[in-house]
């Protein structure tokens, strides 16, 4: 592990497993717990980089599968890397594209060597073969601060033998990614798989720790169709009892507010999800009262703020009636404003969680959240 990429735990809550920390990167520190907006194709949908910065965004994501197809890693490298290409001067994380690849399960063929798949029609339906080495080469050309190993993400439900095979492939590919990754100004995270099987989760974690000194661990294979309570049956003990305490723990693809609050209590540090912008593009907003569908007619003459308890610029400056009007007329700015609010909502939720951890009051924070109307948002 490069000494540049270190994680400092600055506070540990006494009554939960929640912790506040700082992860150091080549483009600046990341204070945790943190929510990371997803910029799949090099942009967070509908939101500009200055707007993201104004929302308090510390780090954004890019997707290796999509960026490898368009504009392609060579063009991004020629532009000076993704930071220069999209004008984002703070940390960036790229996922390996494994989740997207395995969502194309009808065309996927696995082997010890790698994964063969056919791209979606948008990218020409071409046949592609990725080895872990090819995947690392793509991510190193894209140039994010944090890159993820190539892994196999099994859907839920999957037969146990299929999940076992996913763990085996993930371990083998992690070893090859670890050897192939050479760029010193970025760091590599491993990904723990194992589905809903605790023994397979522990097997995956142990094997990955044997591979090498990864600077952090992704937790994959959750939020893939399983009930929330079933997810927590294995997630909570995995994180709180078994994962390294001096490395960041990143729960991949999870963005529901209540899930974030509960996962922080278990000791998770990092989250990402397309949920805030995807729901924003449908005219749906997170709020202290639960989700609000701004298409509903009863907002037509509601001139109050979107969420009176929210301090974002959208809530300060625009009424529910105005947002209802924009959404109804399919004005692009309406979807942008709701998306901005949703991103701020999750970023600020993690900021408040961090403040509660620093104040040694996270247990009370969770109890207050779970008794609020916002907690029903699953």
């Amino acid at each position: 592990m490069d000494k540049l990429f270190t994680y400092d735990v600055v506070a540990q809550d006494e009554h939960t497993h929640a912790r506040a920390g700082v992860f150091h990167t080549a483009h600046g520190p990341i204070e945790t717990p943190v929510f990371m907006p997803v910029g799949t194709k090099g942009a967070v949908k509908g939101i500009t980089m200055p707007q993201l910065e104004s929302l308090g965004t510390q780090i954004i994501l890019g997707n290796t599968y999509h960026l490898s197809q368009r504009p392609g890693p060579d063009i991004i490298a020629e532009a000076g890397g993704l930071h220069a290409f999209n004008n984002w001067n703070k940390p960036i994380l790229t996922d390996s594209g494994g989740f997207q690849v395995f969502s194309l399960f009808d065309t996927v063929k696995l082997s010890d060597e790698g994964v063969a798949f056919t791209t979606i029609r948008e990218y020409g339906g071409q046949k592609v073969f990725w080895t872990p080495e090819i995947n690392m080469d793509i991510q190193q050309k894209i140039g994010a601060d944090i890159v993820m190993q190539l892994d196999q993400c099994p859907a839920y439900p999957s037969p146990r033998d299929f999940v076992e095979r996913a763990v085996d492939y993930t371990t083998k590919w992690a070893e090859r990614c670890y050897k192939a990754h050479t760029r010193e100004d970025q760091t590599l995270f491993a990904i723990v798989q194992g589905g809903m099987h605790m023994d397979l989760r522990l097997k995956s974690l142990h094997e990955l720790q044997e591979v090498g000194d990864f600077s952090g661990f992704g937790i994959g294979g959750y939020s893939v169709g399983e009930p929330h309570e079933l997810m927590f049956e294995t997630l909570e003990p995995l994180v709180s009892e078994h994962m390294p305490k001096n490395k960041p723990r990143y729960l991949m693809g999870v963005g529901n507010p209540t899930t974030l609050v509960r996962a922080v209590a278990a000791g998770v540090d990092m989250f990402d999800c397309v949920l805030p912008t995807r729901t924003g593009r449908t005219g749906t907003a997170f709020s202290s009262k639960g989700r609000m569908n701004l298409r509903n007619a009863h907002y037509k003459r509601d001139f109050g703020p979107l969420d009176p308890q929210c301090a974002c610029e959208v809530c300060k400056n625009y009424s529910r009636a105005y947002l209802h009007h924009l959404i109804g007329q399919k004005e692009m700015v309406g979807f942008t404003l709701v998306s901005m609010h949703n991103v701020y909502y999750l970023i600020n939720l993690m900021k408040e969680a961090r403040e509660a951890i620093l104040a040694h009051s996270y247990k009370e924070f969770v109890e207050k959240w779970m008794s609020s109307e916002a907690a029903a948002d699953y």
Side-chain angles (χ1 to χ4, degrees):
M1 182 184 70
D2 195 305
K3 291 183 179 179
L4 171 64
F5 297 94
T6 57
Y7 184 64
D8 300 323
V9 177
V10 297
Q12 173 74 60
D13 184 65
E14 297 171 0
H15 303 290
T16 71
H17 299 282
R19 73 249 192 98
V22 180
F23 186 64
H24 302 277
T25 79
H27 282 84
I30 303 164
E31 294 186 343
T32 64
V34 62
F35 177 79
M36 307 178 287
V38 178
T40 303
K41 301 179 180 181
V44 177
K45 287 188 184 296
I47 307 178
T48 67
M49 297 303 170
Q51 287 171 333
L52 282 170
E53 192 159 2
S54 74
L55 299 174
T57 305
Q58 299 186 70
I59 174 175
I60 61 172
L61 268 68
N63 180 263
T64 298
Y65 165 71
H66 290 285
L67 291 172
S68 72
Q69 299 305 305
R70 293 180 186 162
D74 291 333
I75 289 178
I76 295 174
E78 188 178 335
L82 190 55
H83 292 90
F85 193 50
N86 69 3
N87 194 33
W88 179 255
N89 296 317
K90 293 184 176 183
I92 297 176
L93 181 152
T94 46
D95 61 19
S96 69
F99 180 84
Q100 285 69 31
V101 167
F102 291 106
S103 68
L104 307 170
F105 59 89
D106 289 337
T107 73
V108 169
K109 293 183 178 180
L110 290 163
S111 67
D112 285 343
E113 187 62 21
V115 56
F117 60 96
T118 302
T119 63
I120 58 176
R121 184 176 300 177
E122 178 184 353
Y123 300 135
Q126 61 182 323
K127 295 185 183 301
V128 177
F129 184 70
W130 274 358
T131 64
E133 292 80 9
I134 290 172
N135 186 267
M136 284 294 95
D137 182 62
I138 293 169
Q139 292 198 68
Q140 290 186 112
K141 286 178 177 177
I142 292 171
D145 299 271
I146 303 169
V147 301
M148 307 301 296
Q149 71 152 108
L150 182 64
D151 67 318
Q152 183 185 354
C153 179
Y156 176 86
S158 291
R160 181 183 169 92
D161 61 349
F162 184 84
V163 180
E164 288 177 335
R165 187 183 69 167
V167 169
D168 290 340
Y169 277 131
T170 296
T171 299
K172 291 174 182 176
W173 293 348
E175 185 172 4
R176 291 167 60 188
C177 285
Y178 191 81
K179 291 176 180 177
H181 184 264
T182 59
R183 187 163 174 167
E184 294 182 355
D185 62 345
Q186 68 177 196
T187 197
L188 174 65
F189 279 22
I191 301 177
V192 179
Q193 290 291 350
M196 307 303 133
H197 307 280
M198 190 64 192
D199 61 324
L200 296 183
R201 286 282 174 183
L202 295 179
K203 178 178 185 287
S204 178
L205 176 61
H206 174 72
E207 291 177 349
L208 292 170
Q209 289 177 292
E210 291 292 311
V211 165
D213 190 17
F214 293 98
S215 58
F217 288 89
I219 309 166
Y222 285 124
S223 195
V224 289
E226 79 282 1
H228 282 81
E229 292 306 321
L230 180 60
M231 175 182 76
F232 277 103
E233 283 181 14
T234 50
L235 176 66
E236 286 180 332
L238 172 70
V239 177
S240 64
E241 299 174 23
H242 300 286
M243 296 194 76
K245 299 187 183 303
N246 63 334
K247 308 285 181 71
R249 303 129 170 195
Y250 162 31
L251 181 56
M252 304 177 71
V254 175
N256 176 277
T258 297
T259 306
L260 266 60
V261 170
R262 291 183 61 186
V264 167
V268 175
D269 307 299
M270 303 168 67
F271 305 88
D272 83 283
C273 196
V274 297
L275 188 64
T277 49
R278 179 173 288 171
T279 55
R281 295 194 304 277
T282 69
T284 300
F286 297 135
S287 84
S288 57
K289 301 294 184 181
R291 290 196 200 186
M292 300 170 58
N293 182 356
L294 290 162
R295 296 179 186 273
N296 288 345
H298 65 258
Y299 293 118
K300 187 174 183 178
R301 289 183 170 84
D302 188 340
F303 301 108
L306 178 56
D307 185 350
Q309 295 186 31
C310 179
C312 80
E313 292 303 312
V314 178
C315 291
K316 287 179 181 177
N317 293 295
Y318 302 101
S319 68
R320 295 172 178 177
Y322 180 60
L323 294 170
H324 166 79
H325 161 69
L326 293 178
I327 298 300
Q329 296 303 306
K330 296 182 172 61
E331 286 286 350
M332 286 190 297
V333 70
F335 302 114
T336 290
L337 290 173
V338 179
S339 294
M340 287 175 63
H341 162 78
N342 286 348
V343 168
Y344 175 90
Y345 187 90
L346 294 185
I347 288 173
N348 189 63
L349 180 62
M350 292 297 92
K351 181 181 177 182
E352 291 179 344
R354 178 182 172 85
E355 291 170 353
I357 296 166
L358 293 172
H360 301 285
S361 60
Y362 194 71
K363 183 174 182 288
E364 292 77 10
F365 181 88
V366 174
E367 291 171 349
K368 182 178 179 181
W369 176 269
M370 296 305 295
S371 65
S372 73
E373 294 177 87
D377 186 3
Y378 268 106

